[in-house]
Amino acid sequence: MKSVPRLLTILAVLVGFGSTATASASVLQCVPYARAESGIAIHGNAATWWSQAEGSYDRGQTPQVGAVLVFRSTAAMPYGHVAVIGKIVDERHVLLDHANWSRPGMIETAAMAEDVSEAGDWSDVRVWYDPIKGMGSRANPTFGFIYAPGHESLSQTTLAKADESTELAGD
């Protein structure tokens, strides 16, 4: 009978180790999340995506649904960050889908991002930070957007709507 408590203790220790390994392995990072959501097949630290995209993907400073916004490396984010554009709200606001921003492994969808750059070129953004239920106070430098094939830009969408309005008015 003394062996049953010892066996239970060993099982509890093994289960405990298994849970810890599983929990730490399940923390989702921004890179695999952005890759899966956008279809952009780039690997490595987020801050390296911009240079890796050169020659393989179009890049620019205008948001597009499905594009990946690439954040530069900073003291607060030494590996950078990547987030997928889920929706364009207006010229200075988009909704991001991303992981590992507000807390480790957390997936956030429809998180507001605001262009706070002086030039309006998305080179600095503020992002919704869930723990404070508001926009973060820090301006985060970015490289710009890597465009996923098959997605429209804000300007393309605006032009298409303008063309549609003209066609309807002409009928």
Side-chain angles (χ1 to χ4, degrees):
M1 284 303 203
K2 289 183 181 181
S3 63
V4 172
R6 182 172 181 213
L7 179 61
L8 290 176
T9 302
I10 291 170
L11 285 174
V13 168
L14 289 175
V15 168
F17 281 124
S19 298
T20 302
T22 303
S24 65
S26 68
V27 174
L28 184 61
Q29 300 295 320
C30 63
V31 166
Y33 181 82
R35 187 172 43 247
E37 291 298 308
S38 69
I40 294 175
I42 297 178
H43 297 264
N45 292 337
T48 68
W49 275 41
W50 188 255
S51 60
Q52 288 188 64
E54 188 173 10
S56 297
Y57 296 93
D58 290 335
R59 303 178 303 171
Q61 303 311 122
T62 305
Q64 292 182 13
V65 172
V68 173
L69 179 58
V70 182
F71 292 72
R72 293 177 180 269
S73 174
T74 65
M77 299 183 304
Y79 301 111
H81 185 70
V82 287
V84 179
I85 307 303
K87 181 178 181 180
I88 297 168
V89 177
D90 60 34
E91 289 182 4
R92 292 277 192 155
H93 297 89
V94 297
L95 300 181
L96 301 176
D97 298 336
H98 60 161
N100 208 36
W101 182 266
S102 289
R103 77 173 172 264
M106 179 181 182
I107 294 172
E108 294 174 275
T109 58
M112 181 66 71
E114 176 183 31
D115 175 13
V116 294
S117 65
E118 286 187 29
D121 63 0
W122 291 88
S123 58
D124 280 303
V125 298
R126 284 183 3 167
V127 178
W128 177 267
Y129 188 59
D130 195 63
I132 64 169
K133 301 293 183 213
M135 297 301 284
S137 59
R138 173 181 82 214
N140 302 281
T142 71
F143 289 103
F145 301 93
I146 300 172
Y147 302 119
H151 291 284
E152 290 185 345
S153 70
L154 176 63
S155 58
Q156 290 170 331
T157 303
T158 303
L159 290 173
K161 286 181 182 176
D163 288 344
E164 184 178 308
S165 297
T166 304
E167 286 177 23
L168 291 175
D171 286 341

